[in-house]
Every structure is written in C-alpha cells, then in structure tokens.
Amino acid sequence: GLAKVQAAPTATAKLRSYLEMQASRNPRIAPLARALDAARHADAASEQAWRNRHQGRMMGATMLAQALRADGLIHDSWQIEEAALLLWELSSFHAWDDLVNDAGLAPNRYVNLMLTTALSTLAAPPP
C-alpha cells in the first residue's frame, strides 16, 4: 500500500491513496487493533506494539504533510509537525472505526470526508 502512496503523482493523490489504504486495511485488522488497544493500558508489550504502529503512521503523516506543503496546499502558518498530527489523527484507526463502524459511513465516503477535511483545514490558518 505504501508503494502506491509514494508513487502517486500529486500530494492530493498521495493523501487519497493513503486514506484508501487505511479504509481497505482497517477491516482486516479491526479485531486485532481493538484487542491491542484494550490490552495496552495494562500490558507493557501491548503498549509498545501500539506505539510502534503509531510511530510508523506518524512517519507517513509527516511525509504527507511535507508533500502537501511542497504542492502549496498547506497555509504558511501551519507547522509541518501540526499538519502531520492532524493527518495522523484523521487517518487513525479510531477515527475510521467511529465513522465507518459506529456511525455507518460507507468506506468511500470516509475517504472523501477525511480528504476534504484535511485539505480544507490545512489550506486555512490554524485557529
């Protein structure tokens, strides 16, 4: 999935591809992700596994933020770290799970909603 993200021709296409990757992968990992999330509060090994997963996603979010900045899609007042945090959270398992499984949003609608939210938010100055 990451190769497709990296090969996308524009930052917007990279972000869409990343969100599509999350939307297609999350249903397969959902039981494990929920179990790991529940266990991490009481088990150090589970906490470390959870953090490792999220550190990898943060690296991806930072790469996406840098690409969006390079394409002129992030307002100059946003710091890359803040933009990456926003992308990290919008692409999180919890956000996907809440919107798709709890709220009943279709996976393709989740992708479009997160893409639009990210692009429109990052194009404006942060509050």
Side-chain angles (χ1 to χ4, degrees), residues 43-98:
D43 177 65
S46 296
E47 175 64 20
Q48 186 60 45
W50 184 263
R51 286 191 184 279
N52 286 346
R53 163 81 173 94
H54 286 284
Q55 287 171 349
R57 267 192 338 98
M58 181 54 80
M59 288 173 45
T62 300
M63 180 272 302
L64 290 167
Q66 290 167 340
L68 290 167
R69 169 68 49 87
D71 279 8
L73 298 174
I74 296 182
H75 191 274
D76 290 339
S77 58
W78 279 91
Q79 296 177 13
I80 286 294
E81 296 80 11
E82 293 172 327
L85 281 172
L86 177 70
L87 295 170
W88 179 78
E89 183 58 29
L90 290 175
S91 66
S92 72
F93 175 81
H94 287 129
W96 170 84
D97 200 29
D98 289 347

Side-chain angles (χ1 to χ4, degrees), residues 7-51:
T10 67
T12 300
K14 286 179 191 311
L15 180 55
R16 176 178 292 283
S17 182
Y18 186 78
L19 292 165
E20 288 170 346
M21 178 185 71
Q22 294 291 91
S24 68
R25 182 185 59 187
N26 283 343
R28 295 189 309 268
I29 67 161
L32 176 62
R34 289 186 195 110
L36 191 59
D37 186 28
R40 72 185 175 103
H41 301 288
D43 177 65
S46 296
E47 175 64 20
Q48 186 60 45
W50 184 263
R51 286 191 184 279

